[in-house]
Each structure stands twice: as C-alpha cells, then as structure tokens.
Amino acid sequence: MASLYRQKEPSYLGHIQVLYVYVLLCLLNIPGVYSKTYVLTPQVVNDTHGNQADQDSKITWAKLPVGDPYLTDTSYNDNGLQGLFDMARGFTSVIQPKDINYKEAYNAFQKFELSKIQSLLLDYQIGWAICFVIGFLFCLIMPFVGCCFCCCRLCGNCGGRMIQKNPKSPKRHVFSVAVFVCLSILLSGAICSYVNNGRFLSTLDEVNSRVNTSLGDINRFLNNTVNQIKFVAEKDFGFTKEVIKRDLDNIDVLVGVPVRQQLDESSNISKAIDGIIGLDSDINKLSEKVVATNKSLNNLKDASLALAKVLQEETNKINKTLTTCSTACTLDISELKIDFNFDRLDDITSNIESMSNVKSQNITALALEGKKEFDQIPDRVKNETNSIVNDIKDKLDDFDKEIKNKLKQVTDLPQKTSGTAGVEQDVQDLTDIVLKYDNYVSNSLLGLTSIVFLVVLLMILGLGCGCLFSKADNEPTHRSSASTWGARFLLAAVGFMFIFSWLLMILVMLMFIVGGQLERNVCQPIRDRSLFNQFLDGPNGIITKNGYPLGELLLQNKSIDLTFDGILRDCSQNKAAYSAVKLGSLFNLNEITDYKKEINLTAQIAKIQTDFSDVKILTNDTRKQLKDFLNGLNINFSSLISELEKNTTKVSLTSFAMKLYNLSSSLPPLTNVSRDLNASAGNLIYIEDNQVKAVAIAQKALATSIRELESESANIPKTVKETIQKVETAESKLKQNGPGLVKTEAQNYGKRIINSADQFVTKANSSIQNDVGKCKPISDIWESLVDILLCSQIIDTINGFWFSLGMCLFFFIPSIIFNVKLSKYFRRMDEEEVYEGGNNDKGEYNDGYQDTEMSHMSQNDRQSSVYTSLSHRGNKVGQS
C-alpha cells in the first residue's frame, strides 16, 4: 500500500536542476562572465612632445620645436644723420643716373673694345670725372688764390688799406648775417664730420661681434632647421607608427568586435543560443514530469496487480463456497475483476531514456560553450591575422629606417657647411689689423675735422667780438680793440681756409671716389638685387659661368638654380627653407612621405581572412539526441487517458458484497457457506474501501498528470524544431556571411590605418613646405651684415663724412668773401674818409665830400687835402 503514495513525494532533484538553469540564464546576461570584454588599449596615445591620438586615431599634432633663439640684431641707429646720408646718396645718383651694366662692361674690357669702353665711361663715369676735376682744380686754385690775396692785401689792396668809406652803410648787417649763415653751415658740417668719425670708430668695434653673431645664427638656423626636419621625420612619424601599431595590436577590437556584432545581428545567434537555453529548461521540466508520470504509472500498475490478485483470491474463495452450496446458491462472479486493462498502459521507459540522454548532455552548457566560441571571434580574428600584423609592423620599421637614410643628406648639412669658424677667424684677423691702424686714421680724420672746427671757432670769436664790442655810430678810427680782434679772428679764419682747404679737398676727393662709387655701384645694386643677377646668380653671371654656386655649396649640385636673389626674396617673406633653399632638389618630399611604395597597406590588410566553418553552437550528436528526444515524446496520451478513465472494477464490490449478504441470508444461518459468504462480503467491502478506492484515486491523478503532460509537451516538438532550425540558420549565415563581414570590416580597418598614415603625410608636407626652417633669420643676417653693417654703418658713414666736409669746403668760398668784407667794419682804421650826405644851405642834396671846392682839384690834390683835414681833426681830438 505504501507504494501507492510514492508519487506524492517532492522531486528535489528536478527543482535543483531548474534552479541551476535559472542561475545560468542569469549569469549569461551579466557582461564579462561568459563573454570577454574587448576595449581599445590604450584608448588615447600620447608622447612626450605633445602629440596625441584619440580612440578614433584622430591625431592632434604638437607644435614644431622653436630651437635656439637667434641673436642677429637688425636695429639701426642713424644718429640723426639719415637726411645727410640721403643727400649724399642723392648726389651720387645725380652724377651717375644710370646703373652700371656689369656684364656689358666686363665683356667690353675682356674683349678690349675701346669704343665700347669709351662709351661706357662716358655713360657711367663722366659725372665722377667732372667732380674729380672740379676737386682737383679746387686744390690748385685755392692755394693760388690765397697767395694772391695775401700779396694783394700787403700791397694795400683787397681791403688791406686802413681806411673805410661810408662806415655806417647797412652792408655791415648784411655781411654779419651772411657770415652767421656760413658759420652755421660750417658748424653743422663740422659736427656731422665729427659724428661720422665717431660712427666709423664704433662700427669698427662692432664688426667682429656682428659678424660672429650673424655667422653663429647661420649655424643656429641650420641646426634648428635640421632639428625640425628630424622632429617631423622621426618624432611625428614615430608617433604615427605607435598609433598604427596600437590599432594593429587591437585588431580584435577594431575588426573582430564589429564582425561579431554584425554576425549576431544578421544571424540571430544570441536568440538561437537563448532558445537552446530555454529549450533545455523546458526539457528538464518535461523530463522530470515524464519521470514522475512514469513512476506514477508503474505504481498504478503495481497497485492494480495487487488489487487484481486480491480480487482473484476472493473470487476463488467465493467460487469454492458456491460450489459447496446447493443449486439455490447461484451467483455470477465473472464481473468480479478490474475493469481497465493495465496491460494497455504503454510503457514510456524508452521515452524517459531518450529524454535522459538529452538531459545528460547539459544543453545549456553546450550552448554557453557555443556562445563562448562565438564571443571569442575577436580572438580568432587576432590569432589568424597575427602574421599579417607582424609583417605590417616590420614594414613600418623598415620605412622608418628608409626615411632616416633619405634625410641623411639634410641632417648632415650643418657638418658640410661648418666652415663658418674659419670665416670668423678671418674676420677677426682682418678686424685686428684694421683696429691696429685705427688710431692713426681716426686721429688724422679728427685733426682735419678740427681744422674746420678751428675755422668755425675763429669765425664765432670774430663775429662775436665784432658784434658785441663795435657799434655802428663809432668812428672807424675809434673802434675798440675787442672789435679789432674780431676782425683779426675773421681774417685768421680766412687764412686757415686758404691754407688747409686743398688738403681737406684731397681727403674729400679720396673718400668721395671710394664711398660714392661703393654706394652707387655696390650698395644700391645690392639693395635692388641687380648685382646678384649680374655676378652670382646663374650660369650667365660674370663670376658664376659654370652653374649656380649656392646650389653647389648647399645642395652639392651646381645645376640647381638656387640664387641669392631668390633666397633673400623668399626669406624676407619668412618662407620655409624647403621652398626658399629648394631642398626639394636635395630630397624629394613626395618620395619620402610616399609610404605606399614601401608599404602596400591595402594589399596587406586585404589578406585578413577568418574561417568560421568550425564554429559550432551545437554538436551533431546533440542535434541527433534532440531529434531522439522528439521521438521520446511520441506517447499515446489518448490511449492512456481513455484506459485510465474506466472504472477500477467492472462491478461495485460493495454491491457485489450485498449480493453475497442477501445470498447468505437466504441460506440456513450459521452454516459454513453462510459464514464464508459473509466473510467474503466483508472482504470485498474492505477492498472497496481501501484498495479500490486508492487505485481509483491514483487513476484519476495519473489521468490528470498525463493530460498536463500532453498539454505541456504539445509545443515542445515545435520549439525543438524551431531551435534546431535557428541554430542551423545561424551557423549557416555565420559560414556564409562571416568572411564577407570580415572583408568589409578589414576594409574599414584598412581605411583607419591608412588615414593615420595620411595624417602624417599631410602634416609632414604642410610642416616642411610651410613651417620647417622659416628663413627670416637668413634675411636678417643679410640685412645685418650688408644693409646695416656694410652699406649703412660703413659706406654711409664714409659718404656722410665726405659730404659734410665737402659742404664745408663749398661754403669756404662765401665765408672767405664775407669774412673779408665784414672785417672792414670791425677793425680800427688809421684814417677816415669823411662822407657827408644830405641837403646844403641852398636846399640841394650834396652827395660829395664836405669841401665842395675840392671837386675842381686834381685827384692827388684832393687826397692830400682830405688827409690833411683828417689829420688836423685828429690833432684837435687828441688835444681835446
């Protein structure tokens, strides 16, 4: 009887398995438990120079290194003499309005074409010759005129006689103003000459430091330019290489993850795996229910056999009792048996075995294993492309070495042009020689300049004494000694002008020829760059007939048209050295940055392939067992239910027992037959109340369980078939679409890699062509050495000196005249000519001498009479 109630025991094993499935389902949805997390590492790439690349490989470039600062000073102080220099420059342009055609002159002198040479001299040097002749005549005439002037005055002429006509004439004021103007001009010229002399001395002291600084800046410029090129070629490309290697090392993230995601979306692999896991849960539940049903069915069979046995025993007893009775004991006992045929209850043990086989496979674990294999597609991509990635890395390293080799000519440029030390020493030696004789030259110029200052000083003293100590109403014979000394100072100035003017003119002529010619025919052509075109730039130059010297010096190729004019023009605009110095002739920038010739990234990345043919979500054995499981569900539920719905017994045992009681009551009491019939009737009632009732309840419960099993298993075949179909479809699409998706993502990946390389190419081209080695320092060096040092500080100083001194010499002539004229009004006269003008007693204007009768006298008589009169007056004044 206990076996009838075993089906009511809880199935702890089934609940635990369901719990396991639930936990696995929960864990499956937790990221990082069964699927590896793939993250771009590192997401941001940096270097110590400031370059940075984000997770999309978009590079933010660092600024180029500035390098060592340049020391060349382009400031210029003209000491307020720029107007003087402009006048000197204008004067040279007036006497030579045309620029010299050096090529034409060189060819004429080389071929000794006299007519051509004569024509060139007339065109270019006639003005200089005229000025030289004028200066030469000045040197001859001025001493001669001075000598004649002295002799003339000794003879009492040329203002030498100590008598003055009309001392109150307004000419005195005119001459004073004229002398003051000449004095001012001479003082200005003397000051300018003195300042120019000082400028020349300071320039000589500055030559060495300025040249050394400029030559040092040349080396600094070359070093800075090379360092910037190295920065672009080595640092920037090295950083680009690191970015590309970062992407190559993360090919699982950049290719595998997108492939896996698209495969999941197109193949519904996750849904297929989730369906397998859900199916596993359903299989487990259904399997447990089938096992429980089978157990209940077996228990029912056992109980039915026991009931059948008991009924058979009671039937035998009753049949035996009835055989001992008379013919009156008639009773049909053929219906005293079980109504349903438990032999017709199908055995589902084989079905349970099929389900157990599937259940033992742990489909969830297999599905999770398949999901794990699918999740590891990025690892598969990385592993299968490892050789390709390493090959690309090797080619990147080779290309890096190739760039360094190609740039070696540029990086070695400072060593090839390191001869500035020798130039510095040569300049130092030359400067030392010049400074050795500098004091002699300086003192000589200062001495000659001092002559002008002496003249100016004498004129200042003369004009001052004469104007301050002489009054217009004083009699010429009564002028003060101070006034007389003023006249003497003026005449002394005249004497010094005559004595030293020729010497000063010789100095002016020499400096004029040297400084003027250098200014007009060297500095001006240098400033307008025409001198380069005629001498140095190109194979048609006078000096450079066999190519371009700068091309040979800087680029080791004299056929490259690298010109001074072009370099200075471009450098004044602060262009990059690549375009200004034509470094493209030394190395082809496109060849250096054209990585595609050395590294065919497109072809390399096109080799990326991944085989997904061996990726299995479910094994073939598991699929076969799932199909066997479907066969295990082939249970005749209707037959079982129809059999279980029958009555437990054909007749009610209680009713049959009542028949036995009735039969027993019709027999004599207390007989054996009566007692046996009553005992059998009691047994039947007991069986009815216990065994039959229990079997009936088990029948009903089993029928209900089978109906539920039928209901729950109704959708299982469809689910299993759909799940198998999903798995097969997913695997099929994985095999079909996988290679294409890998190829597509590989192309996108290749674009990313190529974009990183193209970013470097764009940056390198832009930097080298526009930013690397901006050559304004070269223009500053040229301006410092040539425009400022040579032309402005040396040649302009020489020109300023001769122009200011020449201006003084020019104004010596009016100064001599006006000094002589004005001295007459400052000196004390020995005699006085009386001149009285005005109306006489008759109302007539008398324009003669006081004694009108003298007009009828002879010249000698008049002079004797006047002298006598003046002497008489003088005696009277002396007596008074």
Side-chain angles (χ1 to χ4, degrees):
M1 297 294 292
S3 63
L4 294 175
Y5 298 94
R6 290 176 185 171
Q7 61 182 352
K8 297 181 181 180
E9 296 177 359
S11 178
Y12 297 104
L13 180 60
H15 292 300
I16 291 173
Q17 290 176 338
V18 172
L19 180 62
Y20 284 163
V21 173
Y22 176 76
V23 171
L24 287 173
L25 287 172
C26 292
L27 291 177
L28 186 64
N29 294 322
I30 298 176
V33 175
Y34 284 99
S35 59
K36 179 181 177 181
T37 301
Y38 296 89
V39 179
L40 186 69
T41 306
Q43 290 192 346
V44 178
V45 182
N46 296 293
D47 65 2
T48 57
H49 305 287
N51 293 316
Q52 181 176 351
D54 58 15
Q55 59 184 1
D56 295 326
S57 291
K58 183 179 180 181
I59 301 176
T60 301
W61 299 104
K63 294 182 179 179
L64 288 173
V66 178
D68 297 332
Y70 298 102
L71 305 179
T72 297
D73 184 14
T74 57
S75 61
Y76 169 61
N77 182 13
D78 58 12
N79 299 111
L81 299 177
Q82 189 59 47
L84 179 68
F85 300 150
D86 291 339
M87 286 190 291
R89 190 176 298 115
F91 182 76
T92 58
S93 297
V94 169
I95 62 176
Q96 182 187 326
K98 293 181 180 180
D99 294 335
I100 292 181
N101 189 331
Y102 286 102
K103 291 183 180 179
E104 184 180 6
Y106 177 78
N107 293 329
F109 278 97
Q110 189 179 34
K111 297 177 181 179
F112 201 67
E113 298 176 356
L114 294 178
S115 60
K116 188 66 174 179
I117 293 174
Q118 182 179 1
S119 175
L120 291 173
L121 291 176
L122 290 175
D123 287 340
Y124 302 126
Q125 300 299 319
I126 186 63
W128 301 95
I130 292 173
C131 291
F132 185 82
V133 170
I134 293 174
F136 180 75
L137 293 176
F138 183 89
C139 293
L140 295 178
I141 294 174
M142 281 298 288
F144 178 76
V145 172
C147 182
C148 294
F149 178 74
C150 291
C151 294
C152 183
R153 285 186 65 86
L154 290 175
C155 295
N157 296 317
C158 302
R161 179 175 295 180
M162 301 298 287
I163 185 171
Q164 185 176 17
K165 297 179 181 180
N166 195 9
K168 298 181 180 180
S169 173
K171 292 181 180 180
R172 176 178 186 271
H173 302 290
V174 174
F175 293 151
S176 296
V177 171
V179 169
F180 179 77
V181 171
C182 292
L183 167 66
S184 300
I185 295 175
L186 292 177
L187 179 61
S188 300
I191 292 174
C192 291
S193 299
Y194 181 79
V195 173
N196 278 294
N197 186 37
R199 277 173 56 86
F200 189 74
L201 292 177
S202 62
T203 298
L204 292 178
D205 294 333
E206 188 182 348
V207 167
N208 192 41
S209 61
R210 186 178 285 270
V211 170
N212 291 341
T213 299
S214 299
L215 293 177
D217 276 355
I218 292 177
N219 291 329
R220 277 184 283 273
F221 171 75
L222 292 175
N223 290 328
N224 290 343
T225 302
V226 168
N227 290 335
Q228 288 178 341
I229 292 175
K230 284 184 177 180
F231 183 88
V232 173
E234 296 179 6
K235 306 303 180 182
D236 285 349
F237 181 73
F239 179 76
T240 305
K241 188 170 66 173
E242 291 302 317
V243 174
I244 294 175
K245 286 186 176 181
R246 186 273 306 264
D247 291 344
L248 291 173
D249 292 335
N250 287 270
I251 191 172
D252 51 345
V253 180
L254 301 174
V255 177
V257 171
V259 168
R260 183 184 64 182
Q261 182 178 357
Q262 294 187 45
L263 284 174
D264 191 11
E265 293 174 355
S266 63
S267 305
N268 294 321
I269 291 179
S270 295
K271 292 182 179 179
I273 292 174
D274 291 342
I276 294 172
I277 294 173
L279 177 62
D280 190 23
S281 176
D282 294 339
I283 290 174
N284 289 333
K285 291 179 182 179
L286 186 61
S287 178
E288 291 174 1
K289 202 165 190 66
V290 170
V291 170
T293 301
N294 186 57
K295 186 175 181 181
S296 298
L297 182 59
N298 292 331
N299 291 336
L300 178 60
K301 286 183 177 181
D302 293 341
S304 299
L305 289 173
L307 177 60
K309 182 178 179 182
V310 171
L311 288 177
Q312 186 62 43
E313 290 176 354
E314 289 300 325
T315 300
N316 293 334
K317 290 180 181 180
I318 295 172
N319 188 33
K320 184 177 179 182
T321 302
L322 292 178
T323 55
T324 59
C325 185
S326 61
T327 58
C329 295
T330 59
L331 188 64
D332 186 8
I333 62 174
S334 61
E335 294 181 353
L336 191 63
K337 58 182 179 181
I338 295 176
D339 188 25
F340 72 92
N341 187 1
F342 57 80
D343 291 332
R344 294 182 180 177
L345 297 177
D346 295 336
D347 186 9
I348 58 175
T349 303
S350 60
N351 303 81
I352 292 175
E353 290 178 355
S354 299
M355 293 182 182
S356 298
N357 291 333
V358 175
K359 184 178 179 181
S360 64
Q361 291 293 321
N362 195 355
I363 296 178
T364 296
L366 294 175
L368 293 177
E369 187 65 28
K371 178 176 174 55
K372 181 179 179 182
E373 187 174 0
F374 176 74
D375 289 343
Q376 290 179 346
I377 283 178
D379 290 333
R380 177 187 289 266
V381 171
K382 186 172 185 177
N383 294 333
E384 294 185 6
T385 58
N386 189 48
S387 61
I388 298 174
V389 168
N390 291 333
D391 189 26
I392 295 176
K393 288 182 179 180
D394 292 339
K395 290 185 179 298
L396 284 174
D397 293 334
D398 294 339
F399 185 65
D400 191 6
K401 296 178 182 177
E402 185 69 20
I403 288 179
K404 293 178 181 178
N405 292 332
K406 289 181 178 179
L407 291 177
K408 187 171 179 61
Q409 288 181 323
V410 178
T411 56
D412 292 342
L413 196 58
Q415 287 75 23
K416 294 179 180 179
T417 58
S418 59
T420 56
V423 176
E424 292 177 4
Q425 186 60 45
D426 293 340
V427 173
Q428 179 67 45
D429 296 340
L430 180 61
T431 305
D432 292 340
I433 294 173
V434 173
L435 291 176
K436 181 178 179 181
Y437 299 98
D438 176 60
N439 291 331
Y440 303 105
V441 176
S442 175
N443 293 334
S444 300
L445 295 177
L446 184 60
L448 292 175
T449 305
S450 299
I451 294 174
V452 181
F453 273 110
L454 178 61
V455 170
V456 171
L457 178 61
L458 292 174
M459 290 178 68
I460 291 174
L461 293 174
L463 185 62
C465 293
C467 292
L468 293 176
F469 299 103
S470 175
K471 296 181 179 179
D473 55 354
N474 287 344
E475 294 294 335
T477 58
H478 292 87
R479 291 170 182 158
S480 65
S481 298
S483 175
T484 301
W485 274 105
R488 291 171 180 172
F489 285 136
L490 292 176
L491 292 175
V494 171
F496 279 109
M497 291 182 206
F498 278 121
I499 293 172
F500 292 103
S501 59
W502 67 274
L503 185 60
L504 294 175
M505 179 55 74
I506 291 175
L507 176 64
V508 169
M509 289 170 58
L510 294 177
M511 300 187 74
F512 166 72
I513 294 298
V514 175
Q517 288 281 3
L518 289 175
E519 167 62 32
R520 185 65 185 90
N521 298 317
V522 176
C523 284
Q524 291 186 20
I526 284 177
R527 288 191 177 101
D528 60 23
R529 311 283 168 76
S530 61
L531 190 65
F532 298 134
N533 296 328
Q534 298 188 58
F535 275 89
L536 301 174
D537 288 346
N540 296 323
I542 296 175
I543 297 177
T544 57
K545 292 184 176 180
N546 297 320
Y548 298 87
L550 275 183
E552 184 176 7
L553 175 65
L554 298 179
L555 307 177
Q556 289 75 54
N557 188 348
K558 61 183 179 181
S559 64
I560 299 174
D561 59 340
L562 186 62
T563 63
F564 287 93
D565 183 22
I567 290 178
L568 293 176
R569 182 178 60 253
D570 292 340
C571 289
S572 64
Q573 301 172 6
N574 203 22
K575 290 186 177 181
Y578 183 83
S579 57
V581 190
K582 297 188 177 181
L583 292 179
S585 302
L586 189 62
F587 64 94
N588 192 328
L589 185 60
N590 292 327
E591 290 183 359
I592 292 179
T593 57
D594 189 8
Y595 63 92
K596 296 180 181 178
K597 290 184 178 179
E598 303 293 333
I599 311 173
N600 193 345
L601 289 175
T602 303
Q604 291 289 332
I605 293 173
K607 297 178 182 178
I608 296 178
Q609 295 179 355
T610 305
D611 185 15
F612 298 108
S613 60
D614 58 342
V615 177
K616 297 290 184 181
I617 301 175
L618 288 179
T619 63
N620 294 330
D621 292 340
T622 304
R623 296 179 196 183
K624 182 177 181 302
Q625 289 170 0
L626 284 175
K627 293 178 180 179
D628 293 340
F629 174 76
L630 291 179
N631 296 330
L633 289 178
N634 190 16
I635 301 174
N636 192 350
F637 294 102
S638 60
S639 174
L640 289 173
I641 292 173
S642 63
E643 197 66 32
L644 291 173
E645 287 180 346
K646 293 180 179 179
N647 293 326
T648 304
T649 56
K650 289 195 173 190
V651 295
S652 173
L653 296 183
T654 302
S655 299
F656 195 83
M658 293 306 297
K659 290 181 180 181
L660 291 177
Y661 280 128
N662 291 332
L663 181 59
S664 175
S665 63
S666 64
L667 296 174
L670 300 177
T671 62
N672 291 332
V673 174
S674 176
R675 286 195 299 271
D676 291 339
L677 289 175
N678 287 332
S680 296
N683 289 336
L684 290 175
I685 291 173
Y686 177 82
I687 292 171
E688 177 75 22
D689 293 338
N690 291 281
Q691 288 181 273
V692 173
K693 187 176 182 181
V695 171
I697 292 172
Q699 279 184 262
K700 186 176 180 181
L702 183 58
T704 301
S705 178
I706 289 176
R707 286 191 182 92
E708 293 176 355
L709 180 62
E710 182 182 18
S711 176
E712 291 179 4
S713 64
N715 294 325
I716 292 298
K718 181 180 179 182
T719 302
V720 172
K721 291 179 181 179
E722 290 179 351
T723 301
I724 294 175
Q725 183 63 35
K726 288 180 181 179
V727 170
E728 292 177 349
T729 301
E731 291 180 349
S732 175
K733 289 185 177 181
L734 182 63
K735 295 175 183 178
Q736 293 176 1
N737 301 338
L741 289 175
V742 170
K743 184 176 181 180
T744 301
E745 289 304 320
Q747 291 175 351
N748 296 332
Y749 177 70
K751 292 178 181 178
R752 178 188 176 105
I753 299 295
I754 292 173
N755 181 58
S756 298
D758 287 343
Q759 287 183 77
F760 165 74
V761 171
T762 302
K763 198 266 183 181
N765 288 337
S766 175
S767 297
I768 293 178
Q769 292 179 3
N770 302 312
D771 300 322
V772 170
K774 288 189 174 182
C775 61
K776 188 64 167 64
I778 299 298
S779 176
D780 292 341
I781 291 170
W782 175 262
E783 182 180 356
S784 175
L785 292 179
V786 179
D787 289 350
I788 295 178
L789 180 61
L790 176 62
C791 293
S792 296
Q793 289 188 322
I794 296 179
I795 295 179
D796 275 355
T797 300
I798 294 174
N799 291 333
F801 188 89
W802 67 254
F803 188 83
S804 58
L805 198 58
M807 180 177 61
C808 294
L809 291 174
F810 178 80
F811 280 94
F812 270 7
I813 297 175
S815 296
I816 291 173
I817 296 172
F818 292 125
N819 280 4
V820 173
K821 290 289 185 180
L822 183 59
S823 66
K824 194 77 172 182
Y825 291 91
F826 290 164
R827 295 184 67 183
R828 183 189 299 144
M829 299 289 105
D830 294 336
E831 298 178 354
E832 178 181 6
E833 284 189 3
V834 178
Y835 179 84
E836 294 181 358
N839 296 330
N840 54 19
D841 294 339
K842 296 180 180 181
E844 298 176 355
Y845 181 77
N846 184 12
D847 195 19
Y849 296 104
Q850 185 175 4
D851 191 355
T852 56
E853 295 181 355
M854 296 175 63
S855 59
H856 301 286
M857 300 180 181
S858 63
Q859 179 68 23
N860 293 330
D861 293 337
R862 287 200 301 269
Q863 290 181 355
S864 176
S865 176
V866 171
Y867 296 154
T868 302
S869 175
L870 291 174
S871 300
H872 179 69
R873 292 181 183 179
N875 293 331
K876 288 183 177 179
V877 172
Q879 292 175 0
S880 61

